Amino acid sequence: MNHDSHIASVLKALDDHDTFYLLGHEDPDADCLGSQRALGSWLGRRGKKAHLCSVGPWGRPEIFDWEPLFIGKIPPLEDGDQPLIVILDCSSPERTGFPDTALPEAVTCVIDHHAAGSDFGDIRYVDPLCPSTTLMIQKLIETAGDEPTAEEAEILFLGFCTDTGYFRHVEPGRAEPLEAVSRLVAAGASPAETFRLLAGGRSLGSRKLLGRVLERSELYFDGRLVISWENWKDWRELGSERDSDMLYQLMMSISGIEAAAVIREQNDGICTVGFRSITNLDVSDIARFFGGGGHRKAAGCTMSGDLHDVTEHLLQIFADRFD
Ligand SMILES: [Mn+2]
């Protein structure tokens, strides 16, 4: 699909407004926050006012320092403001974590690369084939005839690396995104520093938790599915810092594996479940079945019940898919 007309309508809307509310999803990652920051910075260079809003939390080490740049609530409108609300890296107001009532009456624009989502938004630039939302922001800046500054390039590159698992999830035939990020490196982004930022900064507890979750892994369906779990007792003992990326990387490196599910049992009969796939098996479809969402190869949902119930339920659903 050609998105030129969508890009043009977003650029026109950015041009037509002077005040912006830039929102991402709750539990933000560097793609979401990086899109907000880079777009905000570019709008600032054009003499415009951008409020960066996020409900957090700020647990991930690579974004830990960014919290002071964001406001945890939606600031009130000032007299005469005709703002544009831009929702980034998700496609609905609910995903932002802000109550509906907190959002001012305004034109809304959605910029997202997730397939699941409503058709919410007056202006929509949604490209499920784009590896990161930051790449969509880069396209906007470049289509407007501008170039990212060194700082914007660094942030945009970090977002791209976050969502592609540092290039590990880039599909064949996708030279264009790589050409685009090479321009970020030319503008000052450091691949070496970005990798250190994404891979480092972890607590010993988080390393021990990885070991524990791997230890508990069980294979199902002739070794095509791996399931493991962690719970609140682990977090109390080792801290709740997660390194899902590394965990899934290790799980998906098991010979013959097609999918992984990690169950996180909360204190209150609720489990959150993360899914990964490395075949055509669409885990977002499974997540959606339980009221969650995500991408074909990475998705998540919340399920009620204890570890045992949730495992049984998952095995029933996966049994259909592995038929
Ligand atoms: Mn993203």
Side-chain angles (χ1 to χ4, degrees):
M1 191 174 180
N2 188 312
H3 290 284
D4 291 355
S5 64
H6 301 135
I7 293 175
S9 27
V10 174
L11 286 176
K12 177 164 188 320
L14 296 178
D15 223 40
D16 286 348
H17 291 82
D18 293 312
T19 305
F20 299 86
Y21 289 80
L22 307 184
L23 278 59
H25 53 80
E26 58 187 328
D27 193 13
D29 57 21
D31 183 38
C32 164
L33 300 171
S35 299
Q36 292 173 268
R37 275 191 69 188
L39 180 58
S41 163
W42 180 64
L43 289 168
R45 288 200 274 137
R46 293 164 82 95
K48 302 186 183 247
K49 186 169 72 184
H51 302 289
L52 310 183
C53 309
S54 178
V55 297
W58 303 86
R60 302 171 202 246
E62 69 275 18
I63 53 153
F64 198 69
D65 293 344
W66 293 12
E67 182 170 1
L69 306 171
F70 288 78
I71 24 183
K73 58 179 174 38
I74 310 278
L77 279 181
E78 282 167 36
D79 276 353
D81 271 355
Q82 300 265 320
L84 181 73
I85 298 176
V86 187
I87 296 187
L88 295 145
D89 203 31
C90 62
S91 292
S92 71
E94 300 84 63
R95 283 282 290 132
T96 66
F98 290 107
D100 258 4
T101 48
L103 295 177
E105 279 290 322
V107 183
T108 47
C109 168
V110 167
I111 303 174
D112 187 20
H113 69 135
H114 294 84
S118 58
D119 49 11
F120 173 84
D122 302 300
I123 301 141
R124 289 171 56 81
Y125 170 27
V126 177
D127 181 0
L129 287 179
C130 194
S132 72
T133 300
T134 48
L135 190 57
M136 299 171 79
I137 301 301
Q138 183 183 349
K139 276 190 191 164
L140 288 173
I141 295 174
E142 291 178 343
T143 307
D146 228 333
E147 277 172 26
T149 62
E151 190 187 40
E152 288 161 12
E154 230 170 84
I155 296 166
L156 292 168
F157 189 71
L158 177 65
F160 179 87
C161 290
T162 297
D163 274 27
T164 61
Y166 208 89
F167 296 87
R168 280 180 290 120
H169 314 312
V170 179
E171 302 288 351
R174 310 302 313 283
E176 196 210 321
L178 298 191
E179 284 160 18
V181 295
S182 82
R183 293 193 292 276
L184 298 177
V185 176
S190 160
E193 180 55 36
T194 304
F195 187 81
R196 277 194 290 274
L197 203 57
L198 285 174
R202 309 289 169 170
S203 66
L204 176 61
S206 78
R207 310 295 83 183
K208 290 187 174 179
L209 185 57
L210 272 178
R212 199 173 279 189
V213 177
L214 285 173
E215 178 73 39
R216 292 169 180 158
S217 296
E218 300 274 0
L219 294 177
Y220 299 90
F221 306 108
D222 297 321
R224 296 163 77 186
L225 172 70
V226 56
I227 299 185
S228 191
W229 59 275
E230 59 189 62
N231 69 15
W232 59 274
K233 287 183 203 153
D234 298 315
W235 307 327
R236 193 175 55 189
E237 190 183 337
L238 299 171
S240 58
E241 185 192 312
R242 276 185 208 170
D243 190 357
S244 301
D245 191 51
M246 180 59 76
L247 176 62
Y248 289 118
Q249 198 183 321
L250 290 164
M251 290 174 115
M252 300 316 270
S253 66
I254 302 166
S255 173
I257 210 74
E258 295 180 27
V262 175
I263 302 165
R264 296 189 169 92
E265 192 179 29
Q266 320 285 327
N267 201 345
D268 46 7
I270 298 281
C271 294
T272 57
V273 187
F275 301 100
R276 290 295 183 279
S277 157
I278 45 169
T279 62
N280 286 332
L281 181 86
D282 181 357
V283 286
S284 72
D285 184 48
I286 293 173
R288 268 197 304 276
F289 180 84
F290 294 110
H295 301 273
R296 294 182 63 85
K297 298 192 167 184
C301 64
T302 300
M303 293 168 68
S304 56
D306 63 12
L307 178 67
H308 179 78
D309 304 332
V310 167
T311 307
E312 287 302 306
H313 215 151
L314 287 177
L315 288 175
Q316 281 166 21
I317 300 302
F318 271 102
D320 285 347
R321 303 304 195 278
F322 282 130
D323 254 353

